[in-house]
């Protein structure tokens, strides 16, 4: 594979010869769609942002079967969650571009191999592509295996399932789903089932922990009661959870366990399919029974719960979040509990909502301050809205805060 290179500081697309991967179907779509965008600023942002993953982060090799490494961008490591989200906008072009299909095939293969390397890790590094690189809080043994960071986040495993089920839904190709993939899916099931357990002093030594001074209770996180939900010490933002059961991540897991169970049926794997379907049902019941709480006059989804009755009422802009429950397919459009939750998330009732002279929206504990709105939340707000004025306002905010780069930032100061 091509050695890693940094594309920091770009304010335009790289020259065609410098792009890491090119899809003819995507280029045709960019040309066709750009002609429909009247606003010059948004048009340029669209033309730069949509292909940015292919242009700058994809390391693909087909010498021994498809193999795809996708750097997260500002860091040379590959996150399973990020790599799925990075290629997801291209999934609609699979049938019209065989080279793109190979890229997805290679990514599914690599994600499966990483899960079999360490199913509790969230990020990995390819030491051949990025030599002499090392992540944080990993042992020498873990670093040698290519582990970059070992924060267990439930949405990491759910992202692998989402990529797999989504690939099949759009391509109908079963080539990636070999014996290695089946072992990885089995491992996902084992880990999720194990982390459904109570989190108490009686069994805590049997569970995952992240031994770091900043992580609560010697890295195990706060206690939790087994109510069918899967524990996750870290949020989709990579930040430590307050309560062990993150509702958006559990919702995403339930949706994609169910979708993967259908794929396994097609692959004549009835036992594993049934296991995933049962786990999805248990998680869904846990969300219905413990993840919906009273807030004022409304019933809303909590962000995190512990199964004992405590709940964190907030939302974070990273996906999956409460704002994205419709986007990930957990609720149907018009769901009253979701709509009440959405109103809460986009208001001062959410402690991580901020409004200023330049921007308003969801902030994140990940930034370390409450003054920075995250555009990923603004995009999700637009994607889950049916109000033309709201969507337009979101697009205008994205356009007005690119700081002359015509790309989209991780966070933007509200003023």
């Amino acid at each position: 594979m091509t050695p890693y290179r940094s594309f920091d500081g770009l304010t335009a697309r790289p020259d065609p010869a410098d792009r890491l991967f090119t899809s003819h179907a995507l280029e045709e779509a960019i040309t066709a769609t750009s002609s429909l965008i009247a606003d010059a600023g948004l048009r340029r942002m669209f033309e730069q942002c949509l292909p940015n993953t292919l242009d700058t982060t994809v390391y693909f090799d087909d010498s021994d079967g498809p193999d795809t490494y996708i750097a997260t961008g500002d860091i040379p490591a590959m996150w399973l969650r990020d790599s799925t989200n990075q290629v997801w906008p291209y999934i609609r072009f699979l049938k019209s571009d065989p080279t793109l299909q190979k890229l997805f095939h290679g990514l599914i293969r690599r994600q499966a191999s990483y899960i079999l390397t360490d199913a509790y890790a969230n990020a990995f590094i390819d030491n051949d592509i990025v030599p002499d690189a090392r992540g944080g809080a990993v042992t020498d043994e873990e670093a040698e295996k290519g582990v970059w960071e070992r924060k267990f986040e439930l949405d990491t495993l759910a992202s692998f399932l989402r990529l797999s089920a989504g690939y099949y839904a759009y391509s109908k190709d079963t080539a990636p789903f070999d014996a290695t993939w089946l072992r990885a899916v089995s491992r996902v099931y084992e880990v999720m089932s194990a982390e459904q357990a109570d989190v108490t002093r009686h069994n805590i030594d049997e569970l995952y922990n992240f031994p770091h001074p900043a992580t609560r209770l010697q890295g195990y996180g706060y206690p939790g009661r087994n109510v069918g939900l899967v524990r996750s010490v870290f949020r989709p933002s990579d930040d430590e959870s307050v309560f062990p059961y993150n509702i958006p991540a559990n919702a995403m897991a339930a949706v994609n366990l169910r979708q993967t169970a259908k794929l396994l049926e097609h692959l004549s794997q009835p036992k594993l399919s049934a296991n995933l379907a049962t786990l999805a049902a248990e998680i869904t019941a846990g969300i219905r029974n413990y993840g919906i709480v009273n807030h004022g006059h409304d019933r809303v989804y909590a962000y995190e719960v512990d199964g004992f009755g405590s709940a964190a009422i907030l939302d974070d802009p990273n996906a999956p979040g409460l704002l994205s429950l419709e986007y990930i397919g957990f609720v149907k459009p018009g769901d009253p509990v979701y709509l009440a939750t959405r109103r809460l998330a986009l208001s001062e009732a959410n402690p991580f909502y901020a409004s200023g002279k330049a921007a308003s929206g969801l902030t994140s504990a990940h930034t370390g301050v409450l003054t920075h709105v995250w555009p990923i939340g603004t995009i999700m707000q637009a994607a889950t809205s049916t109000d033309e004025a709201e969507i337009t306002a979101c697009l205008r905010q994205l356009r007005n805060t690119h700081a002359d780069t015509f790309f989209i930032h991780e966070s933007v100061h509200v003023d």
Side-chain angles (χ1 to χ4, degrees):
M1 284 189 176
T2 305
Y4 174 80
R5 57 174 296 193
S6 173
F7 286 87
D8 291 344
L10 290 179
T11 58
R13 289 190 72 180
D15 291 335
D18 293 328
R19 296 170 191 170
L20 297 179
F21 192 97
T22 301
S23 161
H24 71 81
L26 182 65
E27 296 300 327
E28 290 171 1
I30 291 171
T31 299
T33 305
S34 292
S35 66
L36 305 176
I37 302 175
D39 185 285
L42 283 176
R43 182 168 60 250
R44 180 173 166 184
M45 291 180 76
F46 171 77
E47 292 170 348
Q48 292 185 182
C49 293
L50 182 59
N52 187 249
T53 285
L54 299 185
D55 287 350
T56 67
T57 68
V58 170
Y59 296 83
F60 175 76
D61 183 75
D62 198 20
S63 58
D64 189 25
D67 182 25
T68 307
Y69 180 86
I70 298 185
T72 195
D74 59 333
I75 299 171
M78 175 174 144
W79 266 251
L80 269 64
R81 168 189 58 246
D82 293 18
S83 58
T84 293
N85 286 328
Q86 283 168 270
V87 302
W88 194 260
Y90 312 136
I91 201 167
R92 69 195 72 184
F93 304 116
L94 286 179
K95 283 191 174 180
S96 57
D97 192 338
T99 61
L100 199 59
Q101 205 166 24
K102 283 188 175 182
L103 181 149
F104 273 74
H105 183 167
L107 182 58
I108 292 169
R109 284 185 66 195
R110 185 172 279 260
Q111 286 195 0
S113 71
Y114 280 152
I115 285 171
L116 292 174
T117 297
D118 189 341
Y120 282 95
N122 57 324
F124 297 83
I125 196 78
D126 187 311
N127 293 313
D128 292 327
I129 298 173
V130 195
D132 303 320
R134 180 176 176 136
V138 292
T139 65
D140 290 341
E141 182 182 359
E142 289 163 348
E144 286 180 10
K145 293 190 297 182
V147 175
W148 178 269
E149 190 172 61
R150 200 172 187 269
K151 290 179 175 177
F152 176 56
E153 299 156 345
L154 176 58
D155 65 296
T156 293
L157 300 181
S159 294
F160 166 65
L161 300 181
R162 185 184 193 220
L163 180 67
S164 299
Y167 175 84
Y168 176 72
Y170 279 88
S171 71
K172 302 305 178 187
D173 175 33
T174 59
F177 310 126
D178 56 12
T180 300
W181 180 83
L182 287 171
R183 289 199 304 274
V185 173
S186 297
R187 183 63 180 139
V188 168
Y189 171 74
E190 291 170 0
V191 170
M192 288 189 184
S193 298
E195 296 300 328
Q196 280 183 301
D198 289 330
V199 189
T200 70
R201 64 185 178 84
H202 300 294
N203 73 328
I204 200 165
D205 291 340
E206 302 168 12
L207 301 173
Y208 161 88
N209 79 316
F210 187 81
H212 188 277
T215 311
R216 294 176 176 87
L217 295 177
Q218 297 181 322
Y220 289 97
Y222 275 3
R225 187 162 68 94
N226 181 6
V227 292
L229 299 171
V230 180
R231 164 181 175 261
S232 188
V233 177
F234 292 92
R235 297 173 173 175
S237 61
D238 290 341
D239 298 309
E240 183 193 4
S241 301
V242 174
F243 298 118
Y245 307 118
N246 183 278
I247 296 303
N250 271 273
M252 183 180 178
V255 168
N256 291 288
L257 283 164
R258 200 170 288 117
Q259 294 299 320
T260 307
K262 294 177 182 177
L263 170 57
L264 287 163
E265 282 182 11
H266 180 78
L267 298 173
S268 300
Q269 298 289 330
K271 183 177 180 180
L272 187 54
S273 174
N275 286 343
L276 266 61
T278 299
L279 181 56
E282 292 170 354
I283 293 171
T284 300
I287 294 173
R288 301 296 184 206
N289 294 329
Y290 293 88
I292 300 175
V293 298
N294 293 320
H295 187 269
H297 298 292
D298 292 320
R299 296 280 284 168
V300 299
Y301 288 99
Y303 186 73
E304 291 166 352
V305 299
D306 65 358
F308 290 109
S310 298
I313 308 298
L314 60 92
D315 198 16
D316 184 274
N318 284 274
L322 295 176
L323 198 58
S324 63
L325 288 179
E326 182 183 309
Y327 170 78
I328 62 177
F330 185 73
V331 298
K332 294 180 179 179
D335 179 274
V337 178
Y338 168 73
L339 292 178
T341 306
R342 190 179 188 278
R343 288 193 298 271
L344 184 155
L346 296 170
S347 75
E348 299 291 344
N350 175 11
F352 288 91
Y353 177 87
S355 182
K357 298 174 184 176
S360 62
L362 301 185
T363 69
S364 176
H366 192 73
T367 317
V369 293
L370 294 175
T371 55
H372 283 65
V373 167
W374 284 52
I376 192 172
T378 308
I379 293 167
M380 193 58 65
Q381 180 182 351
T384 56
S385 176
T386 57
D387 184 332
E388 187 170 322
E390 182 181 20
I391 296 168
T392 301
C394 290
L395 291 172
R396 185 177 295 114
Q397 179 168 302
L398 294 171
R399 182 199 62 187
N400 293 345
T401 57
H402 63 69
D404 298 324
T405 66
F406 294 90
F407 285 110
I408 295 175
H409 304 293
E410 181 177 72
S411 67
V412 175
H413 195 289
V414 292
D415 293 327

